[in-house]
Each structure stands twice: as C-alpha cells, then as structure tokens.
Amino acid sequence: MATTRIQGYRPGLVDVATGQISREIFVNDEIYQDELERVFARAWLFVGHESQIPSPGDFFVSSMGEESVILCRDRVGKVHVFLNSCRHRGMKVCRYDEGNAAVLTCPYHGWSYSTDGRLVGVPYFREAYHSTLDRSAWGLVEVAQLCLYKSSVWATWDPAAPPFLEYLGDFLPYIDLTLDAWDGSDGGTEILCGIQKWRVPCNWKFPAENFSGDSYHNISHRSVDLVGIGPSGSGRRDMPELNMARKLHIAFPERGHQTTSYLLPKEAAPPPAYQHSSVVSDYFRECEEARRKKQGDWGRMIALVGEVFPNTAFLARQPRTLAAWHPRGAHETEIWRCFLVDKSAPAEVKDFLRDYYIRYSGPGGMTEQDDMENWNYAHAASRGTIARRYPYSYEQGMGTAVDNYEWEGFRVPGTVCDLTQAKSSEHNLRNLYRRWAEFMEAESWDELTIWRRQRQAEAAE
Amino acid sequence: MSEPVNIRQIAPGTKIALVDGALAEVVSNPADGVWVFARYLSSPGDPSRVGGEEMIFAQDIVEIRE
Ligand code: FES
Ligand SMILES: [Fe+2]
C-alpha cells in the first residue's frame, strides 16, 4: 500500500475503537521513515546507565533511533550525549563500544573533540584554515535535553519535548520499582557485566508491544516452564507471591506508557523465593521485608514488565533488566538488554543472578529465544502483498478498563484492567498504539502534551 | 619527507622536533595516534609560542629528540 502521507493513522491504520491495527505500520518502509522523524527524533529515549561511565573521560557508544551516540563523562564529571558523527565529513568519531579517552579524535582527518564536545584539535588550523575556522561553532552535536534519573540516562533531540519527569507523569513510581534498590531505598543499581546486543529480523514494535504486557503468549514459553529455569527450580520465575496478588494491566493513555504489575494483599508475608541458594533466598527475604516497611502501599506493588514509550522496556524482578528496541530499518531490530543489580549486593547474589538472567534472557536465553522466534516469523509472514491486507486483532478486554481502580485500600494510578479473572487483555497494547498514532499525526509537542491542555481547561473552568 | 613517527609511544617529558623547526616537550598523550599535548621550548618562526601549550598534530612531528 502506498501511504499518501498521514491520511490519518486513526482510524485508518490504528483503530483502537474496534481493536484493529494494520500490518502496514510494521512492514511499510515509508511509515518507518516517518517514524524516525516523528517518534524517535521527538521522544525521550533510554541511552544508558551511569555505572557504565563512572570516571571522567569514560565513554559508552549507544544508540538513539538508528543513530549512534556517545554517552560520556567529561573532565569535570558532567554527563553528555553526543551524535557520534564528525562535524567535518560525518565520520563515526568513536568506533569502540566503550573506553576512556582524554579527547575524542576522528580517524578520518583528525578533528579532535574534548569530552565536553568542543572542537579542540583541527589539523593545519593555522596553515590551511589561516586560523579563521570558528571552532566554537563546530563542536559535536549534543542532544537537546538529557536527564539522569536514578542512574539511568535518558535523552531527546527535541528541545520542545516536556522534561523527562513530566514525560513520565504518574508512571514514575512504576519505573522506580526497577530502578530502586531491592530494599526499597532510592536508586543504587549498576549494570551487571556488559550489555547484551543482538539483531532480530522484525519491526521494533513487536518487542515493544510484547513488553507492554502481552499476557497472552505464555503458551509459547511452555517448554521453558517445563524445563524449570527459574531461580527456585520450577517454571521460569518464582510464582507463589504472584499467585496471591491481583494481576493488573496499567496504562497511561496520555503518555503511552504501560505495565503489567501485581498488587499484593495487605500484610502478606513474602513466600520463599530464589531457593536454589540459601544465601540468595535469605538476602531477598530481608530486602523484601525492608521494602514493604519502607514503601507502604507501594511496597505491595510488583512490576512484572513495562514499557516507556516508545522503545524502552523494564522488568523489575525476574529477570531485572532494562531493554531497548533500537530500530534498524522497518524489518530489523537491534535489541539491547542490560541486567540490573544492587551495587551493594553480595558477590554471591550477583553471581547467582548472572547465571539466572543469562539462562532466561539475551540471545542465548531460553525465554528470549521463544519470543524472538515469534517476532521473526510473525514479521516475515506479514510482509506479503496479500498478508498486509488483513489487520491484526487487539480486541481483548475492550471496554473493561477503569481509571479509579482500588484494592485493599490502595488506589492504583493509571487506567487499569484487572486480569486476575480475565487472564489476559490487550488494553496495554492498544495504549501503545494509540500513543504511537498520536505521535505520527501530531505536528508539535503542543498537540502531544494533552495533559497540559486538560490542566489549562480545568483551571479555566 | 622524514620517516613517520609513532606518536602513540611518546611519554610525557619527551622532547619532539616539529616540522617548522620548533622544539616542544610532551605534556600528555591521549594515545589516539593523532595528537599530543606539548609545551613549546623554542619556536624560531613564532617566538610568542614559547612556553605555551598546544595540541600538536602527528604529521607536524618530525623527530623524537629524547
Ligand atoms: S570527517 Fe572527521 S575530520 Fe574529517
Ligand atoms: Fe515472552
């Protein structure tokens, strides 16, 4: 299908009212090009973690959309994110994945940049440029906004985007469940070992919707559950605690973020977990007890999985990770997954978790392989001339979400679908695509900051 | 043209002769193979540079003196 540009993504391609979404948004190259401009050049994107660049001069090469960026800490300790492209002729300045450097020198003609992005070295500056090149105008391109939040690093190219915390809104406490320490104290995480990176032949929205809360695809992990890769030996994660909780789909329609989280009953004692090691099991029991004391009602919340619009996923517990779905064309995604642990956790706990995490996630992880296979073949089977005439179905749980959900005294922020009885819903997935369509249609952030307009309207009343 | 100098190996304190006849002492070396930071000890072409620190481009370094 040729897309005459933005004929209207709603209801044409993304029809959340009927729960139908066109395959074109996954397989159409023109839509993909638009996406880079309208979604990836405007939204806040996850870039990395401060534990990757602890010292001045440390750098880590990351990605925003398709573009390579340098996350680095300058000489005075300030964190920057730069486009990894030389201002002279575009050469990739930094070709190592990570390291430490006094200056970032372009290998092509030798322009050299300080770690705060200034152009400091120009070969033959006196002779060839007669000292007239305005070096201050030719520094590395820096992101428009940067936010360090509990050691995670986020950036956007768009100066008009709302600040990161406003971008997250009331979704923030759900991310905290991943970024705070296991005992509930603020932050304190580090990335365990390195980042796992691999490519899957599918559109980036396949993993994005899956991690938004595809609670329906458990069946495809059946073999992993039968093997019992979990930290206590059965299933793929510890379930006794989750089985006593309310299972919720929680979405933020104005923002496009969503999570599948579990709300525990009041005063339930944490059942045993991580039973393959008594040290690890004891450690987590103590942490969990401390967390519940410290966090009150939020201590009853367990985030299983969630997605920050557009392409960052988090799993708060088993396995605790941040993942980014970097687009590499309409038909390929580079997946990055980093495993988070508490910096202060004992070595035995970190070792135990490393084994479990790798068993579960990453290119060799057994659960991840199931998912990759699904996305790979679903994408390929949706590209054909005939296939793309038929929309996908997202009708589960339509009309069942409420925005004043409360259970045992805790009012849950967000628009909530209770899956405890329903088993499954596509509420969160519709939320992702509703927001995606808004990004694709909107000409400016004025149109996208819906909450500001609502607040203004309320104030005017 | 003189033999190319492998500037990645040059330690701080080393004296280097430059293509314009100047002599400089290496202050630090980022080891990128393209630049060193050095202080001018002499500069017949432009005496005002003496004592000043600059980034010196590899192709401008003709010889390691000590
Ligand atoms: S492209 Fe970097 S110096 Fe020319
Ligand atoms: Fe899965």
Side-chain angles (χ1 to χ4, degrees), chain A residues 24 64 103 150 251 270 357 404 453:
Chain A
E24 292 290 346
M64 290 174 69
V103 285
K150 296 189 176 179
Y357 290 170
N404 55 352
R453 274 184 283 137

Side-chain angles (χ1 to χ4, degrees), chain A residues 145-417:
Chain A
Q145 299 184 63
L146 176 76
C147 181
L148 309 179
Y149 182 70
K150 296 189 176 179
S151 300
S152 60
V153 183
W154 304 77
T156 172
W157 296 113
D158 194 342
F164 181 64
L165 295 186
E166 184 183 342
Y167 181 85
L168 286 184
D170 291 337
F171 195 60
L172 197 64
Y174 295 103
I175 303 198
D176 287 346
L177 295 172
T178 297
L179 296 179
D180 280 340
W182 281 305
D183 70 0
S185 45
D186 253 19
T189 60
E190 67 179 7
I191 289 186
L192 185 64
C193 311
I195 290 195
Q196 296 205 326
K197 307 173 180 176
W198 70 102
R199 290 190 178 204
V200 183
C202 71
N203 185 272
W204 67 274
K205 292 189 289 305
F206 276 102
E209 79 154 55
N210 186 291
F211 279 72
S212 288
D214 182 333
S215 47
Y216 202 39
H217 79 288
N218 249 340
I219 188 65
S220 68
H221 295 308
R222 190 81 178 163
S223 56
V224 181
D225 288 336
L226 289 172
V227 170
I229 65 166
S232 297
S234 77
R236 62 185 191 277
R237 53 171 70 101
D238 289 310
M239 288 304 291
E241 190 176 44
L242 303 185
N243 286 337
M244 64 170 84
R246 305 302 293 186
K247 182 181 181 183
L248 307 175
H249 259 178
I250 305 166
F252 289 79
E254 300 165 339
R255 305 275 202 303
H257 318 310
Q258 48 277 326
T259 170
T260 304
S261 289
Y262 287 79
L263 181 57
L264 294 164
K266 249 184 174 165
E267 277 148 49
Y274 301 96
Q275 291 180 82
H276 268 325
S277 155
S278 58
V279 172
V280 180
S281 186
D282 290 349
Y283 174 77
F284 276 106
R285 196 189 54 253
E286 281 167 28
C287 287
E288 188 55 24
E289 283 166 1
R291 182 177 89 95
R292 293 191 194 179
K293 246 183 237 147
K294 214 170 285 176
Q295 296 185 328
D297 275 340
W298 274 101
R300 294 165 53 197
M301 191 66 92
I302 298 172
L304 182 78
V305 67
E307 175 89 7
V308 176
F309 185 87
N311 69 329
T312 307
F314 58 89
L315 279 91
R317 278 206 174 174
Q318 293 183 343
R320 184 194 197 182
T321 65
L322 289 171
W325 326 115
H326 297 300
R328 297 291 182 258
H331 314 289
E332 190 166 54
T333 302
E334 189 166 310
I335 299 182
W336 288 21
R337 189 182 280 278
C338 42
F339 300 122
L340 288 183
V341 291
D342 284 9
K343 213 180 292 178
S344 60
E348 185 163 349
V349 170
K350 292 181 185 177
D351 279 350
F352 178 95
L353 291 175
R354 191 187 59 236
D355 288 349
Y356 168 53
Y357 290 170
I358 290 172
R359 207 153 70 222
Y360 191 110
S361 296
M366 293 179 73
T367 313
E368 195 99 55
Q369 288 181 41
D370 297 334
D371 289 325
M372 286 191 266
E373 198 164 281
N374 290 324
W375 305 333
N376 175 346
Y377 287 100
H379 184 99
S382 297
R383 287 183 71 174
T385 307
I386 305 300
R388 52 170 84 189
R389 293 177 190 165
Y390 297 90
Y392 296 149
S393 162
Y394 294 81
E395 291 170 58
Q396 286 176 31
M398 278 176 49
T400 63
V402 297
D403 52 17
N404 55 352
Y405 186 88
E406 190 175 323
W407 188 57
E408 293 198 357
F410 183 39
R411 158 79 172 80
V412 175
T415 304
V416 177
C417 238

Side-chain angles (χ1 to χ4, degrees), chain A residues 85-93 105-113 119 121 123 129:
Chain A
S85 177
C86 180
R87 292 293 303 281
H88 178 242
R89 208 67 88 239
M91 176 66 185
K92 189 173 186 180
V93 175
T105 298
C106 175
Y108 197 172
H109 310 94
W111 279 25
S112 187
Y113 303 89
L119 176 61
Y129 289 96

Side-chain angles (χ1 to χ4, degrees), chain A residues 102-103 105 109-110 112 120-124 126, chain B residues 30 32 34-35 37 40 49 54-55 57 59-60:
Chain A
V103 285
T105 298
H109 310 94
S112 187
V120 289
V122 177
Y124 306 140
R126 290 196 190 91
Chain B
D32 60 10
V34 180
W35 298 96
F37 294 83
Y40 278 92
R49 286 187 207 162
E54 271 191 34
M55 289 174 74
F57 186 45
Q59 287 176 212
D60 288 337

